[in-house]
């Protein structure tokens, strides 16, 4: 009778936990910025799976834990010991084997997502459009061909090459075909983009949260990564690797446009003569009360220490307009 | 009866030098007594904990608004560098070495550590290194601003051009603290291997001792890599060698390997002793043997081994080739297995027990629940595609603070409260302890939970200013941060007042099973009247069997006065 009740309680709890996990897995999509790249969909699905399983494990462990904390308390004057249960081989084997299977599965699923994103490590070339004979031999769950949107983008047009130059503390984007430079990143939608990342001084991190990918920019080393924007709009590019004093201000906008708008923007930018762009780091540095001191005297309460001076403002064809008096945050 | 027979010879021996357990001056001497050194470690590191906490609260003050408007950016950057460095090198490492120093010889029935003088030298290097690091606030150009990782090339940029600058002092300080830790590790490993009491076989050794062994073995294999990397960085910075400087042909990513080869396992150096504390505290306050003791003990060493091959998961975004990303993803996920075994074992230990919510028990239970959460987000971070999105965002900051504050600091508090009556002979105040727990637990959730959504939204770590979309969660986190600052006040009040005039605790107020509870509180200089001979395994709750052959176990045969007079509910 007691055993039956225990089994019933556990079953009901397991069902509740399952529903809660599914709910959390669905909720997890709302925790992210908009899905602006094909890769971001893959990542959000993977994250949702992790969230569901993670919630299941968390509630599965914390439930019995809290239950015993509430119901297995010692009575006020009870000084006796509890029954000396020292272990249970079956239980211990189970809770070693189940997590082992679980993490190996999660590793495998992560690997598959990684393959579908077709991120290649630096120096590795991408040959997406060459059909690979091996792949047809695998069944669906072992499918690691690139995601269809990525494949389509590659097949409809050649990969768009953009050079990214990072420095203390500015981003410069160079479009080699038109020889256009900009401090704002403009991208055509539904096209595969190859970024070649270069740093002129220290490590930086190339990170567009809406695209779900970050990659360090290493000095004296060209690093290629590829992405496929699928949503027009304005997103944020942030430096994700601490790069010194004005690191937090080393951000810019990413504008994803329709191919027509993009070509128009490139043409109009090419027509402009290069000029120095506004730079937040230089703006703040020049507020210093004396050379070499980093304090922005009009806003900051505590004076700062010496800093490396920012690099000269980038000279570019296109820069977004900013009022020098009220710089962007 | 038993009390009298233990305390009678105390009067006869009466030690006239500052080493006697009732002489407070011994804490300010070059004492070789492991108990004195243990408390010296704990008190010194707690002082640095308060300093590191102050830095954190200034940072939370800055982050309460999106603009960089409280302190200058250089000051903010120096603060997060010093916060991380102080909290790791001068709080978490030394406080756990202190607890280990105090407890390991007592738990294994030894009279002291294997090398008492080396032990004292290791301790006294900590204040030296700490003062050196603090002194960097006074040199021109201020302290290091390159983060606690000190990644080149940023750490090699020297804005003042001086030879003595914050970064040089930082490296020297870290190197000294590293040497101190290596000496401590030699001492611990030797002590645990060679000095266990007769009859204390490996599977009669408490889980805490196993955990300390696992942690100190990591120090032995890992720390030389970090110390070597730090010295190469120092040479690059001072005499212009080219190990890591890219403009001179060096490789900055190489430094990251040196750094993380030690600094990821270092997480286990800190968390393993805390696992040990959980394993000691739960059986006492649930009156049940540790469930799956042998597996929990051995899993500490499994963690030691696996953690040696996971370090590249910190570098998934730093130009690592695809095969490396995949290999280290799998090894990282495997750490979940031994960690999971421990968590399941603890849950099964409290299941069906006779639980009392004493302060150490509350901290241990709270720490375990936070560890469970941190372990799950850790698996998220091990997955390469997820890591590539949240790398260097607040998701990571939230995750590792759940490990370091949620689990480790809570575990340290559990340990301090649990063994406070042993260390001082007096009982802490239960009410203040519970207040401390409530503030700590709520504060931890308020400050570190919001960091996870912030990271998923794409807020990078180490920023002094941020986009206004992140403001809401940052305000919540800042409130939690100030609450955590506040939470240390009842703790300090409790510890100081209880040590001075707390109720006498007796030798074994918890009626706990374990060699350290067989001796007097505080223990005499040589710990035991006679070397105990161990005849059974640890955690014999409910089994009614003796732990040692030659002395009765006073705590288990009769209740000390303090316990019968004032039952803890």
């Amino acid at each position: 009778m007691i055993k039956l009740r225990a089994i019933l309680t556990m079953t009901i709890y397991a069902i509740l936990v399952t529903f809660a996990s599914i709910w959390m897995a669905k909720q997890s999509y709302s925790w992210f910025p908009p899905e602006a790249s094909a890769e971001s969909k893959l990542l959000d699905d993977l994250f949702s799976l992790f969230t569901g399983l993670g919630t299941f494990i968390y509630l599965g462990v914390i439930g019995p834990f809290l239950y015993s904390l509430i119901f297995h308390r010692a009575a006020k004057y009870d000084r006796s010991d509890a029954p000396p249960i020292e272990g249970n081989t079956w239980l211990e084997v189970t809770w070693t084997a189940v997590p082992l299977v679980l993490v190996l599965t999660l590793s495998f699923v992560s690997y598959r997502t990684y393959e579908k994103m077709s991120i290649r490590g630096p120096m590795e070339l991408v040959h997406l459009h060459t059909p690979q004979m091996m792949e047809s031999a695998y069944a669906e769950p072992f499918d690691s061909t690139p995601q269809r949107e990525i494949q389509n983008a590659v097949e409809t047009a050649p990969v768009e090459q953009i050079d990214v130059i990072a420095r203390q503390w500015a981003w410069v984007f160079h479009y080699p075909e038109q020889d256009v430079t900009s401090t704002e990143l403009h991208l055509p939608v539904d096209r595969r983009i190859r970024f070649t990342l270069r740093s002129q001084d220290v490590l930086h991190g190339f990170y567009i949260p809406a695209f779900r990918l970050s990659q360090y920019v290493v000095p004296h080393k060209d690093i290629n990564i590829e992405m496929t924007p699928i949503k027009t709009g304005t997103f944020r590019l942030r430096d994700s690797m601490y790069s010194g004093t004005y690191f937090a201000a080393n951000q810019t906008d990413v504008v994803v446009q329709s191919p027509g708008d993009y070509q128009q923007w490139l043409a109009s930018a090419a027509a402009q003569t290069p000029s120095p762009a506004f730079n937040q780091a230089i703006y703040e540095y020049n507020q210093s009360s004396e050379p070499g001191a980093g304090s922005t005297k009009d806003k900051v309460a505590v004076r700062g220490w010496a800093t490396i001076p920012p690099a000269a403002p980038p000279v570019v064809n296109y820069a977004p307009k900013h009022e020098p008096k009220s710089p962007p945050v | 009866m038993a009390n009298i027979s233990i305390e009678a010879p105390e009067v006869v021996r009466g030690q006239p030098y500052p080493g006697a357990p009732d002489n407070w001056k011994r804490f300010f001497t070059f004492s070789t007594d492991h108990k004195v050194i243990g408390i010296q470690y704990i008190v010194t590191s707690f002082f640095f904990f308060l300093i590191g906490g102050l830095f954190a609260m200034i940072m939370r003050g800055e982050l309460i608004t999106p603009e960089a408007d409280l302190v200058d950016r250089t000051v903010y950057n120096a603060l997060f560098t010093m916060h991380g460095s102080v909290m790791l090198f001068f709080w978490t490492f030394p406080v756990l070495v202190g607890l280990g120093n105090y407890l390991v010889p007592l738990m294994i029935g030894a009279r002291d550590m294997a090398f008492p003088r080396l032990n004292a030298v290791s301790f006294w290097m900590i204040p030296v290194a700490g003062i050196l690091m603090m002194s960097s606030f006074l040199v021109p150009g201020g302290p290091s601003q390159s983060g606690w990782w000190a990644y080149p090339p940023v750490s090699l940029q020297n804005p003042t051009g001086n030879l003595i600058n914050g970064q040089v002092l930082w490296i020297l300080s870290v190197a000294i603290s590293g040497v101190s830790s290596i000496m401590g590790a030699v001492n611990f490993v030797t002590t645990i291997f060679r000095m266990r009491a007769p009859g204390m076989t490996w599977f009669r050794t408490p889980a805490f001792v196993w955990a300390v062994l696992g942690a100190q073995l990591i120090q032995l294999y890992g720390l030389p890599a970090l110390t070597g990397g730090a010295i190469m960085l120092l040479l690059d910075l001072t005499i212009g060698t080219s190990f890591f400087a890219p403009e001179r042909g060096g490789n900055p990513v190489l430094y990251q390997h040196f750094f993380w080869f030690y600094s990821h396992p270092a997480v286990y150096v800190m968390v393993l002793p805390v696992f040990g504390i959980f394993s000691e505290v739960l059986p006492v306050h649930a009156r049940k043997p540790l469930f799956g003791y042998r597996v929990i003990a051995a899993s500490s060493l499994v963690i030691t081994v696996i953690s040696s091959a996971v370090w590249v998961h910190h570098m998934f975004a730093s130009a690592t080739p695809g095969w490396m990303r995949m290999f280290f993803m799998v090894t990282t996920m495997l750490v979940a297995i031994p960690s999971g075994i421990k968590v399941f074992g603890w849950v099964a230990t409290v299941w069906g027990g006779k639980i009392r919510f004493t302060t150490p028990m509350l901290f241990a239970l709270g720490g375990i629940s936070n560890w469970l959460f941190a372990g799950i987000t850790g698996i998220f971070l091990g997955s390469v595609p997820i890591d590539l999105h949240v790398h260097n965002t607040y998701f990571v900051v939230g995750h590792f603070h759940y490990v370091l504050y949620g689990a480790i600091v809570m575990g340290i508090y559990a340990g301090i409260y649990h063994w406070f009556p042993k260390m001082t002979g007096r009982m802490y105040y239960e009410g203040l302890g519970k207040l401390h727990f409530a503030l700590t637990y709520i504060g931890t959730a308020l400050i570190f939970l919001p960091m996870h959504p912030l990271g998923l939204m794409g807020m990078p770590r180490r920023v002094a200013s941020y986009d206004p979309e992140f403001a809401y969660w940052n305000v919540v986190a800042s409130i939690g941060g100030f609450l955590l600052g506040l939470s240390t006040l009842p703790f300090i009040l409790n510890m100081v007042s209880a040590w001075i005039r707390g109720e006498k605790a007796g030798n074994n107020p918890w009626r706990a099973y374990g060699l350290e509870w067989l001796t007097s509180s505080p223990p005499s200089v040589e710990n035991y009247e006679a070397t105990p001979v161990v005849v059974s395994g640890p955690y014999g709750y409910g089994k009614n069997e003796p732990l040692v052959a030659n002395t009765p176990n006073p705590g288990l045969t009769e209740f000390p006065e303090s316990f019968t007079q004032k039952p803890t509910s």
Side-chain angles (χ1 to χ4, degrees):
Chain A
M1 189 62 195
I2 291 169
K3 205 169 182 185
L4 190 73
R5 229 180 72 182
I7 290 172
L8 210 66
T9 317
M10 269 160 61
T11 314
I12 292 171
Y13 184 68
I15 293 169
L16 288 177
V17 167
T18 310
F19 275 113
S21 306
I22 293 169
W23 184 78
M24 280 289 277
K26 287 190 172 150
Q27 282 297 302
S28 75
Y29 287 94
S30 68
W31 303 337
F32 288 99
E35 287 178 342
S37 71
E39 293 78 8
S40 62
K41 289 194 167 176
L42 292 165
L43 185 272
D44 291 4
D45 288 341
L46 182 69
F47 192 88
S48 174
L49 174 72
F50 271 70
T51 307
L53 286 174
T55 310
F56 190 84
I57 294 169
Y58 184 80
L59 293 178
V61 175
I62 212 81
F65 191 56
L66 288 177
Y67 179 89
S68 67
L69 296 190
I70 295 165
F71 295 107
H72 300 158
R73 308 270 297 277
K76 196 167 183 182
Y77 297 104
D78 182 2
R79 313 218 160 278
S80 61
D81 287 345
I85 305 161
E86 293 186 81
N88 179 317
T89 312
W90 272 113
L91 214 52
E92 287 165 46
V93 169
T94 311
W95 69 44
T96 311
V98 171
L100 184 66
V101 172
L102 202 67
V103 296
L104 288 178
T105 311
L106 287 176
S107 301
F108 180 73
V109 177
S110 301
Y111 168 73
R112 207 160 65 94
T113 302
Y114 183 78
E115 287 289 295
K116 279 185 172 297
M117 284 179 169
S118 305
I119 312 162
R120 290 294 184 274
M123 314 304 161
E124 289 170 286
L125 286 174
V126 187
H127 299 290
L128 283 179
H129 37 284
T130 48
Q132 288 165 345
M133 303 311 283
M134 288 296 288
E135 277 164 8
S136 57
Y138 291 113
E140 171 60 21
F142 298 93
D143 169 36
S144 58
T145 50
Q147 196 206 23
R148 193 180 306 128
E149 276 140 313
I150 298 174
Q151 191 78 44
N152 287 348
V154 173
E155 280 162 4
T156 48
V159 176
E160 179 84 357
Q161 170 70 38
I162 298 173
D163 299 334
V164 178
I165 298 125
R167 60 169 93 155
Q168 285 174 319
W169 290 268
W171 294 98
V172 179
F173 308 101
H174 178 232
Y175 298 77
E177 242 171 80
Q178 296 80 5
D179 197 25
V180 164
T181 49
S182 167
T183 54
E184 192 174 70
L185 179 59
H186 284 244
L187 300 173
V189 74
D190 294 328
R191 286 275 304 273
R192 186 79 169 164
I193 318 278
R194 180 180 296 139
F195 297 103
T196 299
L197 309 177
R198 296 194 181 101
S199 166
Q200 294 182 339
D201 36 48
V202 298
L203 295 169
H204 295 273
F206 180 77
Y207 178 39
I208 304 167
F211 290 1
R212 314 282 192 277
L213 277 179
S214 66
Q215 170 64 50
Y216 286 2
V217 191
V218 181
H220 295 265
K221 190 170 184 176
D222 287 2
I223 295 174
N224 294 313
I225 59 163
E226 298 191 356
M227 290 179 200
T228 322
I230 53 164
K231 192 185 174 96
T232 54
T234 303
F235 311 100
R236 204 81 171 125
L237 185 154
R238 300 196 173 94
D239 192 347
S240 64
M241 175 64 217
Y242 176 69
S243 59
T245 309
Y246 298 100
F247 151 72
N250 194 18
Q251 308 192 350
T252 187
D253 279 341
V254 181
V255 183
V256 180
Q257 294 169 307
S258 66
D261 290 352
Y262 172 70
Q263 290 303 334
Q264 207 179 345
W265 174 81
L266 271 179
S268 73
Q272 287 170 17
T273 47
S275 58
F278 171 79
N279 182 270
Q280 177 72 18
I282 295 172
Y283 170 79
E284 288 189 26
Y285 183 77
N286 289 339
Q287 299 270 308
S288 318
S289 47
E290 58 186 270
S295 95
T296 49
K297 63 187 171 194
D298 55 339
K299 285 173 79 184
V300 170
V302 180
R303 264 184 50 87
W305 283 296
T307 174
I308 292 290
V315 177
V316 290
N317 297 87
Y318 178 85
K321 298 282 170 283
H322 284 297
E323 286 292 318
K325 289 292 172 199
S326 57
V329 182
Chain B
M1 288 284 277
N3 279 350
I4 294 166
S5 64
I6 283 171
E7 275 164 26
E10 201 80 4
V11 184
V12 184
R13 284 200 308 184
Q15 290 136 355
Y17 63 98
D22 56 348
N23 186 343
W24 59 270
K25 285 180 191 153
R26 72 193 188 282
F27 293 114
F28 297 91
T29 62
F30 189 83
S31 172
T32 54
D33 182 342
H34 74 97
K35 299 181 291 297
V36 175
I37 295 173
I39 291 172
Q40 284 174 327
Y41 262 115
I42 295 169
V43 173
T44 310
S45 55
F46 189 77
F47 170 74
F48 284 109
F49 181 49
L50 295 179
I51 293 180
L54 203 63
F55 294 161
M57 283 162 73
I58 300 173
M59 281 152 65
R60 283 317 321 174
E62 169 65 73
L63 292 175
I64 210 161
T65 56
E67 300 83 21
D69 46 11
L70 179 67
V71 292
D72 183 69
R73 290 187 191 276
T74 53
V75 177
Y76 184 85
N77 297 341
L79 283 176
F80 74 66
T81 302
M82 298 309 269
H83 167 74
S85 311
V86 166
M87 285 300 197
L88 292 169
F89 297 114
F90 300 108
W91 155 244
T92 319
F93 284 122
V95 75
L96 288 167
V97 169
L99 280 168
N101 235 306
Y102 194 95
L103 293 171
V104 166
L106 283 171
M107 281 182 165
I108 64 175
R111 292 185 186 282
D112 207 318
M113 296 284 276
F115 310 110
R117 277 197 190 83
L118 188 70
N119 201 14
V121 174
S122 334
F123 164 70
W124 281 104
M125 287 169 84
I126 293 296
V128 170
I131 289 167
L132 192 63
M133 189 167 277
M134 287 303 124
S135 69
S136 67
F137 274 95
L138 306 174
V139 296
S144 162
Q145 295 174 31
S146 59
W148 83 278
W149 310 339
Y151 273 11
V154 168
S155 57
L156 296 177
Q157 292 184 320
N158 180 0
T160 56
N162 297 339
L163 184 63
I164 301 298
N165 56 57
Q167 190 64 53
V168 165
L169 294 180
W170 184 92
I171 296 172
L172 289 174
S173 171
V174 168
I176 294 173
S177 117
V179 172
S180 153
S181 293
I182 293 172
M183 298 193 318
V186 170
N187 215 343
F188 273 113
V189 172
T190 314
T191 308
I192 294 170
F193 267 94
R194 306 294 305 168
M195 293 177 71
R196 281 169 293 129
M200 182 170 274
T201 56
W202 281 110
F203 282 121
R204 284 182 185 168
T205 307
F208 179 78
V209 179
W210 277 86
V212 170
L213 178 66
Q216 297 298 329
L217 286 172
I218 294 176
Q219 297 281 52
L220 281 185
Y221 78 67
L223 252 175
L226 176 76
T227 313
I231 288 167
M232 285 188 255
L233 190 66
L234 184 69
L235 294 178
D236 270 11
L237 184 60
T238 50
I239 63 168
T241 53
S242 57
F243 294 108
F244 310 127
E247 70 276 12
R248 297 194 289 267
N251 182 356
V253 178
L254 179 65
Y255 174 84
Q256 300 176 11
H257 283 285
F258 277 110
F259 185 82
W260 289 115
F261 179 77
Y262 168 66
S263 295
H264 188 82
V267 176
Y268 299 98
V269 175
M270 296 181 278
V271 87
L272 278 173
V274 169
F275 287 170
I277 291 171
F278 292 155
S279 301
E280 297 300 320
V281 170
L282 292 188
V284 176
H285 302 268
R287 314 304 308 169
K288 248 185 97 202
L290 184 62
F291 192 95
Y293 150 69
R294 284 165 180 247
V295 185
I296 285 187
S299 65
S300 294
L301 295 186
V302 176
I303 290 178
T304 303
V305 174
I306 299 181
S307 70
S308 67
V310 298
W311 77 94
V312 175
H313 68 219
H314 291 271
M315 302 165 56
F316 284 155
S318 48
T320 38
W323 70 266
M324 228 185 220
R325 289 172 165 174
M326 292 305 126
F327 175 79
F328 284 95
M329 171 168 78
V330 176
T331 55
T332 301
M333 296 236 180
L334 286 179
V335 187
I337 310 297
S339 311
I341 289 173
K342 284 175 189 273
V343 173
F344 296 131
W346 296 325
V347 173
T349 303
V350 294
W351 183 267
K354 299 201 168 180
I355 300 165
R356 276 199 173 77
F357 282 163
T358 55
T359 304
M361 184 64 164
L362 286 173
F363 271 105
L365 296 169
I368 290 169
S369 72
N370 286 334
W371 169 252
L372 176 64
F373 182 77
I376 291 171
T377 55
I379 293 176
F380 282 57
L381 286 169
S383 166
V384 173
I386 296 179
D387 185 81
L388 287 180
H389 172 56
V390 296
H391 184 84
N392 274 355
T393 67
Y394 259 86
F395 190 86
V396 178
V397 181
H399 160 75
F400 74 72
H401 277 93
Y402 250 89
V403 175
L404 281 161
Y405 207 108
I408 295 177
V409 174
M410 293 257 250
I412 291 167
Y413 280 138
I416 291 176
Y417 280 111
H418 184 71
W419 283 289
F420 183 82
K422 180 51 63 186
M423 292 177 183
T424 63
R426 292 174 190 273
M427 202 51 162
Y428 63 84
Y429 298 104
E430 199 61 60
L432 276 174
K434 290 201 166 88
L435 174 70
H436 176 214
F437 170 74
L439 289 176
T440 309
Y441 199 82
I442 297 167
T444 304
L446 272 184
I447 180 169
F448 302 127
L449 210 52
M451 291 181 176
H452 296 84
L454 280 174
L456 295 178
M457 288 158 74
M459 178 175 166
R461 66 192 288 192
R462 301 180 162 171
V463 290
S465 59
Y466 52 83
D467 288 346
E469 56 178 298
F470 303 127
Y472 174 78
W473 287 119
N474 271 300
V475 173
V476 177
S478 290
I479 292 169
F482 303 137
L483 200 61
L484 279 190
L486 200 67
S487 77
T488 52
L489 298 181
F491 174 71
I492 298 169
L493 180 66
N494 202 349
M495 293 295 110
V496 172
S497 59
W499 201 340
I500 294 169
R501 41 166 302 182
E503 205 180 332
K504 292 260 190 246
N507 295 341
N508 190 0
W510 306 122
R511 298 180 295 129
Y513 215 79
L515 287 185
E516 78 271 29
W517 300 103
L518 292 178
T519 184
S520 54
S521 295
S524 59
V525 170
E526 300 205 314
N527 295 349
Y528 296 96
E529 293 299 310
T531 303
V533 177
V534 180
V535 296
S536 68
Y539 320 112
Y541 299 97
K543 292 205 291 188
N544 218 1
E545 62 183 20
L547 178 62
V548 291
N550 46 351
T551 45
N553 188 338
L556 290 178
T557 50
E558 57 178 291
F559 305 131
E561 258 176 285
S562 63
F563 204 87
T564 43
Q565 276 172 358
K566 205 177 149 210
T568 38
S569 57

